[in-house]
Amino acid sequence: MKVILLGTAAGGGCPQWNCACAQCTSDSPPRTQDSVAFSTDGRTWHLLNASPDVRAQILTTPALRAGPGPRETPLRTVLLTDAELDHTLGLLMLREATDLTVHAPAAALHALTDHFPARTIIGEYHSWNWLPATETTIDGLQITSLPISDKQPKYARASTHPGPWVVAYRIHDPTTGGTLVYAPCLRTWPPGFDAFTDDASLVLLDGTFYRSTEFTTATDHANPAAQHAMGHVPITTTLPLIANRPGSTRWAYTHLNNTNPVVDPAGPEHAAVLAAGAELPPDGTEFTL
Ligand code: MLT
Ligand code: MN
Ligand code: ZN
């Protein structure tokens, strides 16, 4: 299976459009909002999350560009980990896709109808398939999901729909034996996550924050609970857990927030992640699993 990291930043991207912090005005390489493309044959492609940057991500990734027919596109499927806007706004950009299948947790499918009516809007253009994130097979790849948390998007916080609101995906290629795990939104190291990542070739992990106090100190937010409420376990918590895991799994952080000091390749936090054996791949990084 081929895997391309289309974007590796959290909501808002790096730099963030409304932020003038030292990091957002530095020369650190820019990162677009997190999304991944995968394929077995390099001809049909599938997305993990649909970021608001999806148009630019497609245009800078030759394998994803339209063709060979005048209106043919290689995109077939989108797997959503949740209904957060940084993972779903791209669906509206893709509204002219004639035939797309979207898998998402049931709560996210509900949010995309009743709170952010993307499904209703897109339905006026084309009839896509909207399916729950259960076990499925795509181009021979075996897809499973793991419930991660009940973190609801802000815009849907009034919803009483049962969770899980967030899942992670495991994509196994029985031909090569390669396995990708995609988990960009982790509130904790969740139950079952050890088994879910066992023997994976590559795990893309929530790297939103480096420290538990970062959001409070790097911005003017006075509420120290604000970061905790965002539901992203910091790298300082997950890095020791990764370092102690046996096996040959590669661990890479994605969904990096603009406040996260690891986005500076020359900084000590970036070096600490690499020294612990994890990776911080930039946008456009490709893997063959
Ligand atoms: C998150 O990852 O916590 C969300 O995407 C935040 C947001 O953009 O509302
Ligand atoms: Mn996000
Ligand atoms: Zn900033």
Side-chain angles (χ1 to χ4, degrees):
M1 145 178 53
K2 296 172 198 298
V3 174
I4 306 177
L5 306 191
L6 302 179
T8 55
C14 294
Q16 187 168 299
W17 70 274
N18 61 342
C19 188
C21 76
Q23 214 152 252
C24 286
T25 50
S26 76
D27 293 330
S28 293
R31 293 174 182 265
T32 62
Q33 295 162 91
D34 78 286
S35 178
V36 172
F38 63 95
S39 172
T40 51
D41 59 10
R43 284 200 298 274
T44 59
W45 286 85
H46 315 283
L47 298 182
L48 286 153
N49 289 335
S51 103
D53 299 316
V54 68
R55 175 184 176 276
Q57 291 169 341
I58 289 171
L59 294 182
T60 53
T61 309
L64 299 185
R65 295 192 67 149
R71 278 298 173 99
E72 229 175 290
T73 137
L75 292 184
R76 297 287 179 274
T77 319
V78 180
L79 303 175
L80 299 175
T81 55
D82 51 69
E84 293 288 348
L85 292 174
D86 53 335
H87 297 162
T88 56
L89 276 171
L91 295 173
L92 294 179
M93 313 294 160
L94 301 176
R95 64 191 175 279
E96 294 192 59
T98 49
D99 187 16
L100 213 54
T101 297
V102 181
H103 296 262
L109 291 177
H110 142 83
L112 294 175
T113 306
D114 291 358
H115 296 268
F116 162 39
R119 294 175 62 180
T120 317
I121 295 166
I122 290 164
E124 298 296 331
Y125 295 77
H126 292 289
S127 297
W128 294 0
N129 299 311
W130 300 85
L131 301 173
T134 45
E135 262 185 55
T136 188
T137 304
I138 297 174
D139 290 349
L141 298 169
Q142 298 161 354
I143 320 276
T144 50
S145 65
L146 178 75
I148 293 290
S149 78
D150 287 339
K151 191 202 161 200
Q152 299 177 210
K154 251 188 207 172
Y155 70 80
R157 65 185 148 200
S159 172
T160 55
H161 196 286
W165 280 78
V166 180
V167 300
Y169 288 100
R170 182 179 168 101
I171 300 161
H172 177 68
D173 185 338
T175 307
T176 63
T179 303
L180 168 70
V181 171
Y182 188 58
C185 185
L186 294 177
R187 178 177 269 159
T188 58
W189 191 269
F193 199 60
D194 279 339
F196 197 67
T197 55
D198 230 12
D199 297 330
S201 331
L202 174 67
V203 180
L204 297 168
L205 200 64
D206 187 340
T208 310
F209 299 114
Y210 187 74
R211 298 185 175 84
S212 59
T213 53
E214 181 183 308
F215 192 68
T216 315
T217 52
T219 70
D220 290 334
H221 282 259
N223 178 3
Q227 178 173 328
H228 184 69
M230 288 184 76
H232 295 287
V233 61
I235 290 178
T236 50
T237 300
T238 54
L239 200 55
L241 300 173
I242 291 168
N244 289 331
R245 289 290 298 279
S248 56
T249 301
R250 290 172 74 175
W251 298 83
Y253 285 103
T254 187
H255 194 268
L256 308 181
N257 196 50
N258 65 303
T259 55
N260 191 328
V262 301
V263 305
D264 176 4
E269 292 88 354
H270 189 102
V273 170
L274 302 191
E279 302 177 38
L280 290 161
D283 287 13
T285 303
E286 301 191 15
F287 300 88
T288 303
L289 310 179

